[in-house]
Amino acid sequence: MDSRASYVMVGTFFVLISFALIGFIFWLSKYGDESGLKSYYVVMSESVSGLNPQASVKYMGVNVGSVDSMQINPSNTKEVLLLLHVNESVPIKEDTLASLKFYGMTGLAFIELHGGSNKSPTLITCKDKIAYIKSTPSTLVRVDEVLSEISNKLIDSLGKINLLLSSKNIENIDASIENIQSITATLKANMSSIESLIEDGKKFEKDASVTFEDMSEASKNVSKVAKILEKSIKRGDYSVKDISQNSINKLDELLDELSSLTLNINETVLELKRSPSDILFKKAKRVKGPGE
């Protein structure tokens, strides 16, 4: 009996030691290396469905930490506040971004860190003041936004098409087509006249060109004659005084004749004023006044 009881005690002690060792290993793996972790906050403005505490945090596909906790942001109920534990060896920069990604079609999500240029300063974080990593919308959200925008544009375009294809506009389009057909038929019927008009225009243009050439030639000839006349006058071939004197005498005779004609016209006008009927009938004898 004593030996059997000792075996039971030894077995029990061994089992307890085993459980204690397993618990210590688990604690060590989970909390033993927290000195090598840094904490960061990430604020998500989209649904984090599929993301759970202890979900992986990856940097360009490499597992670098885990999600410690998830809660609604106390400052904004439309946001989710995530606390991340990331290995301190990971270079988290001020322009590093965090986004929600999924494992294929499983629906399980994880946090992906990306970006962060080498020239950007390192993001400083500590227990007293945990730093925030900026977030970007996930691929699903971006696709949903693009699809929504496309859908809105399609709806707007369909509304414009419906407005364009209203019954009134269709009637106007039909009327315009009929007018175009009528104009086309009229042009076709008068094509010969149009061609004749074009030919006449070409002929007129040709004649005008010839006329302008003749005028240009005549102008040149007049210029030549003027130059010859100028030379003759300078040589004394023509006496400008005699020519002008003769012209003046003729002009005086013409003025005398015009003066006489003007007097006759005035007398005729006076006679017509006294007796307008003389235009149709014979002239009435004018009664002389006293002293005439």
Side-chain angles (χ1 to χ4, degrees), residues 72-80:
I72 302 298
N73 188 1
S75 303
N76 189 348
T77 56
K78 294 183 178 180
E79 296 176 342
V80 177

Side-chain angles (χ1 to χ4, degrees), residues 41-42 48 69-74 76 79-83:
Y41 281 129
V42 174
V48 292
S69 64
M70 303 166 54
Q71 63 177 350
I72 302 298
N73 188 1
N76 189 348
E79 296 176 342
V80 177
L81 183 63
L82 306 178
L83 178 61

